[in-house]
Amino acid sequence: MPQNSRKSSPNPTASQTPAMRQWTAHKAQVGDAILLFRMGDFYETFYDDAKTVARVLGLTLTARSKGDNPIPLAGIPYHALDSYLARLVRAGYRVAISEQTEDPRNATGVVKRDVVRVVTPGTLTEDNLLPDSGSNNYLAAVRADGSELGAACLDLTTGDFFSMSGGPAGILAELARMHPAEILVPEQSEPSEAHVADQLHDLAGTHLTRRPAHEFDAYHAERYLHEQFGVRTLEGFGYSAIDAPLCAAGALIGYLKETQKSTLTHLARIRPRVLTEHMHIDPYSWRCLEVERTLRLGTAEGSLLAAVNRTTGAMGARRLRQSLRFPLRRPQAIRDRQEAVADLHGDPRRLGDVRRLLAEMCDIERITARVGVGRCTPRDLRVLGQSLARIGELGERLQDTQAALLASLLEGLGDVAPLADHLLAALQADAPLTVREGGIFAPGVDAELDRLRGIGRDGRQWLARYQAEQIQRTRIPSLKVGFNKVFGYYIEITHTHRELVPGDYVRKQTVKNAERYITDELKTYETEVLTARERSDELEYELFEALKAHVAGYTDALLRTAHSVGTIDLLAGFATLAAERGYVRPELVDQRIIDITAGRHPALEAAIGPDFVPNDTHLDGDHARLLILTGPNMAGKSTYIRQVALLTLLAQTGSYVPAAAMRFGVVDRVFTRVGASDELARGQSTFMVEMIEAANILNNATADSLVILDELGRGTSTYDGLSLAWAISEHIALGIGCRTLFATHYHELTELAQLLPGVRNYNVLVREWPAEGDHGERIVFLHKIVEGGTDRSYGVHVAKIAGIPPAVIERSREVLRQLESGLSRQSLREVLSGTPASPQEQLELFAVQDDRLRQGLLEIDIDRLTPLEALQQLKKLQDQAR
Ligand code: ADP
């Protein structure tokens, strides 16, 4: 959290006003949170809070009790709370809200106030405070357990709550993809806890909150969890003891109790999450694959998610994001989804109907969560009723499905029609966002409410009659009875008729051209009407509380409905995508292969359409384990190797894939490492980063993994880099044997194919044409991957396209020619494959440096040289050599 440099703190003294004493007590309760203290129409902040708030929100900093000890003060108008709150939370602050809990008019002494909630990034529930409806908003906690870590995560906006355990790297990888908004760690964190928290902060911008260590102990966990779930043991959820992950879960509940001060009805269960059920992707690889955002610009546009998202609502969008973050590994689970997609895909008309119904659904999950914390609005429940009313139709439309998964989702939709009827009958069609100003309930819901409202309604007739009587009595035809919020009811008489005003009229207000009056009768009426209004607002509030409690009774059923709707949206989205973009159903096989015919990169294809050149891939655990891909820069190597990873990832979500055909065996982990240039900006040495990533792969990849390497060894001198790339490739091909694609500019690596089994060479087709009126040739990238190695790197051509001046290009061509003639490829291969090279050959490796001298020597025409010239030349060469 940002800190203030100069402290200005309260100094509690007897001279403090009662309100400031109250403030001081509340401030002490909420720790480092900013305290918004309700005073009339404002939420006031004082001291350092005021300075922070003024700075972050751009408000004017003023002072309370001017004089010797002015108190810095900044206020937020109460009706603008949400927008200011959103900005403070987004800026990384925790914000406590102290409300007036009694009507100031009834207060004797200082108004009673209470801290009603502490708003933190991980505990938001309101749509306008949450950053994105298509993302979960996780709150996480970690606790060390020897060399392992236990972690728990919950999304207060959906009720999703689970625990997991594993090594620090594994837990970090899971958490990094979940992108928690906030993470809780014990105050004196163990190194592994602190490491995960720091990494998450760096990778995902997660907000870090330190909590007392005892909040993470087993005693607290047991108490909190048993109480929350209303159980005596957690065995029913699949736990045998209160272990580290459950301690973390207990810390989460403790934190929610402290900050929310509300019910948490929708957190009704916790599940152990088994890491091996999902494809594992480490944080670095995750970023490289550009699943949620692009590497260079960090935008959602251009990502895999943006390219494949055809969901119609927020629940489906969240499921899709989660599916991409955690692709499946169990073949049956993948097949179940594929079957459901096929079922939806097979009937385009039905698919269209289903999607139209889905598009009308509100965010049932988040509304249920707001019911769970008691913060839903009348409008929430009205739109919930409307959505639930369509659930039956959705079920009917899918009734004939042959897919087992869809059938079970239909069951999960449940019978929510009675609740829908209840809500729609109870609530006004234009139910408001607030609960204190009435207008919530439909007529006929409550007799007393109808009676109170009647007083106001009949009032209109009463007023009309009263006005007519007064006109008759005073003989002022223009006399009007009116109402305004500040002055209440009045009789308005223009100045022209001033002398006709009866004696019992009491003057109330002067306006342009007229006077306003009140009479006893009008006053009595006003009190009655206003009281009725107040009573009816109050009654509606009470009725709404009761309605909330009624809906809370359906929490479980609603969350199941939401889950089903979201998953159907996910599957219908996949089916739509397949139809729109010509994706096909990949065939899942029990072999370590990835066999793709005419595959396309989903995001690039979405951007360039038919210009995309499809490519085949054949990888297997045997003859084609490691594909070495060479070719010029900008030819399409990175695109190609990422495409293979993305198609595999997509296939393991159950989606169809952009290809003419695909067969694959399940991948347990995906590793990617791409040219480390973007890491330079993060202040790490490129080569160091490269080697850390390579070590990660060598240590963790299994025979079932997929490894994508885009350049390796670039960050060091050529021979170092080449040797490392060589040795790493050897180890992957022989030691691990996993499916691997390696794009490299070291065309020397193509020699590996002749030395090792299972290594194959590919390159990108390039066409060269002589360019008119220019030196050299023009090249055209065909983006077509073909078998075989290349022995050229075309870097000079790319430099030319990029606008490097012609003289420099010419010179580099010359140097390239010299290098190519000077460097013996035979000798290099021997050096790298372990066969000792002769001293002569080793010397040749360094021929580059000698080349200018040699050139000079060769240029001397001995037949025509005078002895003096010979001496001079000799001196020149010696100087050069020096
Ligand atoms: P490399 O890794 O070989 O330097 P990239 O994969 O970065 O090349 O591709 C360079 C550019 O070529 C990309 O920006 C993309 O627009 C284009 N490209 C790559 N592959 C294809 C393809 N299969 N079809 C059409 N354009 C492609």
Side-chain angles (χ1 to χ4, degrees):
M1 161 150 336
Q3 294 282 327
N4 277 306
S5 48
R6 221 158 35 88
K7 287 272 171 202
S8 97
S9 310
N11 178 19
T13 59
S15 65
Q16 269 191 335
T17 62
M20 281 315 287
R21 273 204 294 277
Q22 206 178 30
W23 179 88
T24 308
H26 288 185
K27 183 69 189 162
Q29 263 178 49
V30 301
D32 64 355
I34 291 174
L35 181 63
L36 301 186
F37 195 68
R38 179 74 181 259
M39 298 181 109
D41 283 347
F42 281 85
Y43 289 98
E44 302 288 11
T45 55
F46 302 104
Y47 298 104
D48 280 344
D49 286 354
K51 291 181 182 171
T52 309
V53 163
R55 179 168 44 78
V56 176
L57 302 177
L59 299 174
T60 325
L61 188 66
T62 54
R64 186 181 160 94
S65 72
K66 312 221 163 49
D68 280 353
N69 276 320
I71 301 174
L73 164 90
I76 295 171
Y78 83 98
H79 54 80
L81 176 66
D82 276 2
S83 72
Y84 286 120
L85 203 51
R87 283 165 62 195
L88 283 172
V89 172
R90 237 162 264 160
Y93 293 94
R94 294 163 9 103
V95 185
I97 301 175
S98 177
E99 279 294 354
Q100 293 171 171
T101 51
E102 67 178 343
D103 191 327
R105 283 173 296 182
N106 307 333
T108 49
V110 65
V111 183
K112 280 207 193 78
R113 292 185 178 86
D114 246 335
V115 177
V116 294
R117 181 178 172 197
V118 184
V119 183
T120 80
T123 60
L124 303 173
T125 51
E126 291 86 341
D127 283 339
N128 51 352
L129 297 185
L130 286 157
D132 175 10
S133 67
S135 280
N136 286 81
N137 196 62
Y138 282 111
L139 171 69
V142 291
R143 211 202 96 156
D145 178 18
S147 62
E148 300 252 295
L149 277 182
C153 303
L154 73 77
D155 180 354
L156 194 60
T157 73
T158 64
D160 191 20
F161 191 7
F162 58 86
S163 69
M164 54 193 178
S165 61
I171 293 293
L172 174 66
E174 294 296 295
L175 289 174
R177 273 177 291 159
M178 287 189 343
H179 204 310
E182 185 174 2
I183 178 166
L184 312 183
V185 283
E187 239 152 27
Q188 264 107 35
S189 312
E190 298 278 324
S192 57
E193 295 161 346
H195 175 74
V196 165
D198 289 347
Q199 287 281 308
L200 279 178
H201 183 75
D202 285 353
L203 288 169
T206 296
H207 184 81
L208 193 66
T209 303
R210 299 193 186 282
R211 300 282 294 159
H214 66 83
E215 285 280 319
F216 289 77
D217 69 27
Y219 169 76
H220 271 87
E222 184 165 6
R223 225 188 64 210
Y224 283 143
L225 296 171
H226 285 188
E227 190 183 296
Q228 175 62 32
F229 304 137
V231 295
R232 306 251 295 277
T233 159
L234 295 170
E235 276 172 30
F237 298 131
Y239 296 91
S240 53
I242 304 283
D243 50 9
L246 282 183
C247 289
L252 292 181
I253 295 290
Y255 187 60
L256 290 181
K257 286 203 176 305
E258 193 178 301
T259 56
Q260 302 305 293
K261 307 187 190 294
S262 69
T263 53
L264 302 166
T265 325
H266 63 304
L267 297 180
R269 61 179 57 82
I270 181 167
R271 63 191 159 91
R273 181 193 172 106
V274 184
L275 300 194
T276 49
E277 272 182 9
H278 298 108
M279 185 192 261
H280 179 97
I281 312 170
D282 60 89
Y284 184 86
S285 301
W286 179 245
R287 288 184 36 226
C288 291
L289 287 175
E290 306 189 304
V291 179
E292 293 184 76
R293 48 180 53 85
T294 56
L295 259 182
R296 278 190 44 217
L297 301 176
T299 53
E301 196 192 322
S303 67
L304 174 67
L305 177 64
V308 302
N309 186 2
R310 296 293 184 284
T311 57
T312 65
M315 290 180 290
R318 287 197 295 270
R319 291 220 91 70
L320 175 62
R321 195 184 287 269
Q322 288 299 89
S323 304
L324 292 173
R325 285 176 178 177
F326 304 101
L328 302 168
R329 261 171 73 178
R330 239 171 12 91
Q332 193 50 46
I334 299 170
R335 285 200 188 94
D336 284 347
R337 283 204 190 161
Q338 288 185 340
E339 215 167 279
V341 176
D343 190 273
L344 290 162
H345 185 250
D347 188 344
R349 257 194 53 202
R350 186 182 61 165
L351 178 61
D353 291 347
V354 166
R355 278 169 44 90
R356 263 189 298 283
L357 283 165
L358 288 169
E360 288 172 23
M361 298 286 163
C362 65
D363 198 334
I364 302 173
E365 209 164 29
R366 281 200 171 166
I367 291 181
T368 307
R370 286 199 286 275
V371 172
V373 292
R375 258 180 241 135
C376 62
T377 66
R379 184 158 318 155
D380 276 341
L381 293 191
R382 173 75 198 184
V383 297
L384 178 65
Q386 283 166 330
S387 299
L388 296 182
R390 312 305 299 271
I391 293 288
E393 211 176 320
L394 180 63
E396 272 164 34
R397 212 60 203 86
L398 290 168
Q399 205 59 53
D400 60 346
T401 182
Q402 299 299 309
L405 176 60
L406 276 179
S408 84
L409 290 170
L410 287 193
E411 223 162 275
L413 287 177
D415 180 15
V416 284
L419 180 60
D421 293 345
H422 184 91
L423 290 173
L424 293 180
L427 295 162
Q428 298 267 32
D430 59 347
L433 288 165
T434 53
V435 290
R436 296 263 178 205
E437 281 145 46
I440 303 173
F441 287 93
V445 171
D446 186 89
E448 173 65 4
L449 180 62
D450 290 347
R451 192 188 71 78
L452 290 169
R453 279 178 174 167
I455 295 174
R457 214 179 17 256
D458 300 346
R460 226 164 285 143
Q461 289 166 18
W462 187 92
L463 286 172
R465 205 176 56 235
Y466 185 69
Q467 181 171 301
E469 278 169 22
Q470 295 304 313
I471 289 173
Q472 219 175 14
R473 178 181 163 211
T474 57
R475 302 186 184 284
I476 305 173
S478 61
L479 179 148
K480 258 193 322 220
V481 177
F483 176 81
N484 93 20
K485 270 199 172 154
V486 183
F487 292 98
Y489 287 96
Y490 55 80
I491 298 167
E492 189 172 290
I493 294 172
T494 52
H495 293 322
T496 2
H497 298 104
R498 197 182 311 181
E499 63 288 357
L500 293 176
V501 172
D504 58 330
Y505 278 27
V506 179
R507 238 194 54 216
K508 205 173 178 184
Q509 188 194 7
T510 306
V511 291
K512 204 177 163 209
N513 298 331
E515 287 302 335
R516 289 176 174 177
Y517 303 88
I518 185 89
T519 61
D520 282 348
E521 205 177 350
L522 194 54
K523 183 86 209 151
T524 313
Y525 170 76
E526 179 183 284
T527 315
E528 192 181 327
V529 168
L530 292 186
T531 319
R533 178 72 210 252
E534 247 167 49
R535 269 296 302 141
S536 89
D537 287 355
E538 183 60 30
L539 180 58
E540 289 208 59
Y541 176 78
E542 283 162 21
L543 289 171
F544 188 67
E545 287 295 303
L547 183 64
K548 276 187 346 195
H550 178 75
V551 179
Y554 286 86
T555 302
D556 235 28
L558 287 175
L559 288 179
R560 245 195 330 272
T561 308
H563 175 89
S564 290
V565 173
T567 312
I568 294 171
D569 196 12
L570 168 81
L571 298 167
F574 282 155
T576 308
L577 176 71
E580 236 175 61
R581 293 240 153 232
Y583 283 20
V584 299
R585 176 176 179 168
E587 185 191 343
L588 196 52
V589 294
D590 193 16
Q591 295 159 46
R592 289 192 184 120
I593 61 164
I594 293 177
D595 213 344
I596 300 169
T597 313
R600 285 117 56 198
H601 187 292
L604 186 54
E605 190 197 22
I608 67 172
D611 288 341
F612 188 88
V613 180
N615 274 303
D616 298 346
T617 309
H618 176 76
L619 272 167
D620 61 39
D622 195 22
H623 304 299
R625 272 174 246 168
L626 169 61
L627 308 189
I628 305 242
L629 180 60
T630 45
N633 273 326
M634 291 301 288
K637 300 185 300 297
S638 315
T639 306
Y640 176 73
I641 60 176
R642 281 173 201 223
Q643 167 183 317
V644 176
L646 292 179
L647 262 59
T648 308
L649 190 147
L650 206 49
Q652 288 190 213
T653 64
S655 169
Y656 284 20
V657 292
M662 175 169 177
R663 287 170 74 238
F664 77 109
V666 165
V667 163
D668 66 347
R669 292 160 169 247
V670 170
F671 294 91
T672 29
R673 86 148 315 286
V674 302
S677 58
D678 69 304
E679 298 295 334
L680 274 179
R682 300 176 64 217
Q684 300 203 46
S685 132
T686 323
F687 185 64
M688 185 64 185
V689 173
E690 267 193 336
M691 288 304 115
I692 292 172
E693 296 310 323
N696 171 34
I697 297 174
L698 298 183
N699 293 327
N700 295 304
T702 75
D704 288 329
S705 303
L706 172 64
V707 174
I708 305 293
L709 298 169
D710 192 354
E711 298 293 359
L712 198 63
R714 261 203 154 158
T716 183
S717 76
T718 311
Y719 296 116
D720 254 9
L722 178 51
S723 325
L724 278 162
W726 184 286
I728 288 171
S729 308
E730 253 178 9
H731 182 80
I732 290 178
L734 297 180
I736 305 172
C738 57
R739 289 159 282 185
T740 305
L741 290 155
F742 186 0
T744 179
H745 71 293
Y746 291 127
H747 45 74
E748 293 84 354
L749 285 182
T750 55
E751 311 281 345
L752 271 172
Q754 286 153 41
L755 299 169
L756 302 178
V759 180
R760 303 280 271 268
N761 288 324
Y762 284 82
N763 71 90
V764 198
L765 268 190
V766 169
R767 184 159 295 163
E768 299 178 25
W769 275 291
E772 314 101 39
D774 199 356
H775 307 287
E777 56 289 324
R778 195 160 69 90
I779 59 165
V780 174
F781 298 138
L782 300 179
H783 306 305
K784 198 78 198 160
I785 312 293
V786 292
E787 179 131 31
T790 43
D791 55 2
R792 310 191 45 180
S793 65
Y794 296 88
V796 178
H797 302 263
V798 174
K800 187 175 153 203
I801 299 167
I804 301 283
V808 179
I809 297 290
E810 209 29 64
R811 173 66 187 141
S812 63
R813 282 217 173 90
E814 200 180 297
V815 175
L816 181 65
R817 268 193 299 277
Q818 290 169 4
L819 285 174
E820 282 176 348
S821 65
L823 189 66
S824 154
R825 290 163 38 71
Q826 188 58 34
S827 67
L828 182 67
R829 176 162 134 204
E830 281 173 9
V831 170
L832 293 171
S833 61
T835 324
S838 68
Q840 175 57 35
E841 282 170 334
Q842 282 185 355
L843 260 182
E844 277 183 308
L845 286 174
F846 301 95
V848 193
Q849 287 98 315
D850 291 341
D851 223 62
R852 272 173 68 199
L853 269 182
R854 191 193 304 249
Q855 198 71 26
L857 267 173
L858 290 175
E859 273 167 9
I860 297 173
D861 186 349
I862 295 174
D863 291 339
R864 294 172 47 194
L865 207 64
T866 66
L868 184 63
E869 279 169 347
L871 268 176
Q872 281 168 343
Q873 285 286 358
L874 201 58
K875 164 118 182 28
K876 205 170 121 196
L877 287 171
Q878 206 176 42
D879 285 348
Q880 261 181 34
R882 281 200 188 102

